[in-house]
Amino acid sequence: MTTESADPKGATNDETDNTKEATEDVTITKFGSVSVKRSTPKPAADLPLDWTKLGKPDDDDDDNQHPEMPLRFPHDVTDNLQLTPDEIVLVGTAGLKITHLGNNLSNTCTDPHKLQRLVFRSHMIHKMEGLAAFTNLELLELYDNQIEELADLEVFASTLRTLDMSYNVIREISPVSCCENLTELYLANNKIKTMTGISTLTKLRKIDLGANRIRVIEELSNLIHLEELWLGKNKIEMIQGLETVCCVLKEFVII
């Protein structure tokens, strides 16, 4: 078998009819006396660079900034911000998605120490930052973003009850081990391979680790209050490690 680019100038007499139709975007592969023409795909030259890189981490950027996307902070979309003394909620829409939390996030509210619930859902946030002032946070939801790693959880580790980081690109969950009073943990649709880090969270009642890359069920022996465990759409090879929690589990999904 031989392969050559179609070029009418270099065609032999036997190939004249075939090469009349050939262009620079066609490749001819010979299987003995049979020639097969295949189209050669053109690069997507017309697509803007920022579109092709949207949501992809830049490995060459040490600061983990994403210059291909326009910078947008919470203070840029204050008209959509739902703000009360104990809650900040901002749900992204098609035209209003923030890319950074920023180090001045606490300036958004009058007293950050009184804030109990912080919700930034469906944005393009890549990094957990600006959380140091929220020392009494009970619920943190960064659902449906581009968060790459868990960070700064120790600031409100003793008060946090619910953590929802589903639909991100998180690979490690071990940083969550400091949140000893956590009762609900949602980390579905990430890139998590192991359950390492949850064994110390003895007050957990709900865990959602569905749609990840987990192969082994582990770290559950101390979770005597666990009621719901969601592990569907993983790569689990064997059901095990449920001996101490099976008597309290009300919901267990592994499909």
Side-chain angles (χ1 to χ4, degrees):
M1 182 186 76
T2 60
T3 302
E4 60 186 53
S5 296
D7 183 359
K9 295 181 180 179
T12 62
N13 292 335
D14 294 337
E15 300 169 350
T16 302
D17 294 338
N18 290 335
T19 55
K20 285 180 180 178
E21 302 176 0
T23 68
E24 60 182 1
D25 299 315
V26 176
T27 298
I28 297 178
T29 303
K30 293 182 178 179
F31 296 88
S33 60
V34 179
S35 296
V36 178
K37 291 193 292 184
R38 295 183 175 89
S39 296
T40 303
K42 292 182 178 180
D46 296 334
L47 291 175
L49 182 60
D50 59 345
W51 186 91
T52 59
K53 290 185 175 182
L54 186 63
K56 295 183 179 180
D58 188 350
D59 295 334
D60 296 328
D61 194 342
D62 293 335
D63 293 330
N64 199 23
Q65 303 296 318
H66 297 263
E68 67 274 11
M69 293 183 291
L71 297 180
R72 188 176 286 128
F73 297 86
H75 59 75
D76 294 323
V77 290
T78 52
D79 291 343
N80 293 70
L81 199 65
Q82 301 176 37
L83 180 63
T84 66
D86 61 355
E87 181 179 70
I88 294 177
V89 177
L90 181 60
V91 179
T93 61
L96 288 174
K97 290 184 180 291
I98 63 174
T99 58
H100 294 72
L101 291 175
N103 292 323
N104 298 320
L105 180 60
S106 59
N107 295 340
T108 309
C109 56
T110 54
D111 189 350
H113 299 292
K114 291 183 178 180
L115 196 75
Q116 296 180 346
R117 293 178 295 278
L118 183 63
V119 177
F120 287 98
R121 175 187 283 252
S122 299
H123 292 281
M124 296 297 295
I125 302 167
H126 289 260
K127 183 179 180 181
M128 295 177 67
E129 59 185 350
L131 303 175
F134 303 117
T135 54
N136 289 304
L137 211 58
E138 295 183 4
L139 180 149
L140 175 61
E141 180 185 320
L142 296 176
Y143 177 102
D144 189 18
N145 278 279
Q146 295 290 323
I147 303 292
E148 298 166 6
E149 61 180 352
L150 297 171
D152 295 339
L153 296 178
E154 63 277 1
V155 174
F156 34 79
S158 62
T159 60
L160 195 66
R161 299 293 187 273
T162 302
L163 177 64
D164 191 345
M165 302 292 295
S166 295
Y167 288 87
N168 280 281
V169 288
I170 296 167
R171 296 178 182 274
E172 298 286 338
I173 64 174
S174 55
V176 80
S177 62
C178 66
C179 301
E180 56 188 22
N181 291 312
L182 204 64
T183 59
E184 298 184 18
L185 176 62
Y186 304 97
L187 284 163
N189 282 271
N190 278 280
K191 297 184 178 182
I192 299 164
K193 292 184 178 181
T194 73
M195 298 170 66
T196 303
I198 64 172
S199 63
T200 59
L201 309 179
T202 58
K203 296 182 180 180
L204 274 176
R205 295 183 180 277
K206 297 181 181 181
I207 301 176
D208 187 354
L209 289 170
N212 278 286
R213 303 174 180 181
I214 297 169
R215 294 183 180 274
V216 179
I217 301 175
E218 56 185 346
E219 300 264 322
L220 300 178
S221 59
N222 296 328
L223 309 187
I224 58 176
H225 299 290
L226 192 62
E227 297 177 356
E228 296 183 20
L229 176 61
W230 299 78
L231 292 171
K233 296 184 179 180
N234 273 283
K235 299 182 179 181
I236 293 172
E237 301 168 349
M238 181 183 302
I239 298 178
Q240 60 183 19
L242 300 175
E243 295 80 9
T244 59
V245 297
C246 62
C247 59
V248 293
L249 276 178
K250 296 179 181 179
E251 193 83 35
F252 174 48
V253 178
I254 196 173
I255 298 175

